[in-house]
Amino acid sequence: MSDSQNPQEDDQAQPLVTHLTELRDRLLRSVLTILFVFLCLFYFANDIYYFVSEPLRSLLPEGTSMIATEVASPFLTPFKLTLVASIVVAMPMILYQVWGFIAPGMYQSEKRVAIPLLISSILLFYAGLAFAYYVVFPLVFGFFSGVGPEGVSYTPDIARFLDITLKLFFAFGIAFEIPIATLLLIWAGITTPQALAEKRPYIVVGCFIFGMLLTPPDIISQALLAIPMWMLFEVGVFFGRFIGTKKMGPVEG
């Protein structure tokens, strides 16, 4: 009796093994892509750090420079930044692998919505990074470099600078995903554009609280994060009126 059940158990286990094998392969491709990009960028590690630190270095008092307080910081800090940059550059390929894994289980109607959302999420993430670098960094570092007491030399540590920079980069990158999150909530039927519009006052307050937590305590830099977040939320609500809610249907290929 037990022997007759073995073929059925094998048939049930086979799809799971197939999915796990495919997941392993796609993870391996993602890692290899990151490694390839890293090897291409590593030669320029110091140049990349020089570029990223430019908004701060341009504001340092004349005759001062950034410092390294740890023995390995001159090597490890550019190394860490280059690794993170490699992940950011390889993000389209990583998301493509994620899409390739989940797409076979999606309905055709879901794919028509998911593909534009996926592309938009990549573009918005990069837009958030660019906004942080070109708009927020000069204001944030300008504030920090100008509030110190007289007689104190402002010489930021390169490792501490990188930690703050990466937090701001990813905070703004994630913040710029608000339209995608809003559309997904509407598409999944969790909420509606009308319900979100009614909660607008709470959303605005939440945006300013988020901005207060991520920026220095001045109204200008707080507004530079809060107002774009609010406007991106409004964009998500606006387009959410056109996509409708998720509907299940037969798989079309």
Side-chain angles (χ1 to χ4, degrees), residues 103-121:
M106 300 180 69
Y107 297 97
Q108 193 65 30
S109 59
E110 294 174 340
K111 292 180 181 179
R112 285 195 292 266
V113 176
I115 292 176
L117 290 179
L118 181 66
I119 297 174
S120 299
S121 66

Side-chain angles (χ1 to χ4, degrees), residues 139-177:
L139 293 173
V140 171
F141 299 138
F143 173 83
F144 285 143
S145 62
V147 298
E150 294 184 9
V152 176
S153 178
Y154 184 66
T155 53
D157 177 66
I158 61 173
R160 297 294 176 264
F161 162 79
L162 180 61
D163 291 339
I164 294 175
T165 298
L166 292 181
K167 289 178 182 178
L168 288 173
F169 266 140
F170 283 102
F172 277 85
I174 293 173
F176 270 60
E177 298 294 330

Side-chain angles (χ1 to χ4, degrees), residues 26-62:
R26 294 192 178 277
L27 286 174
L28 182 60
R29 291 172 196 160
S30 299
V31 172
L32 290 176
T33 301
I34 295 172
L35 179 60
F36 174 77
V37 175
F38 175 80
L39 292 176
C40 293
L41 294 180
F42 184 69
Y43 179 80
F44 307 98
N46 291 334
D47 296 325
I48 295 172
Y49 189 90
Y50 186 87
F51 172 78
V52 172
S53 63
E54 174 61 22
L56 175 60
R57 290 185 298 100
S58 63
L59 296 168
L60 292 177
E62 186 177 355

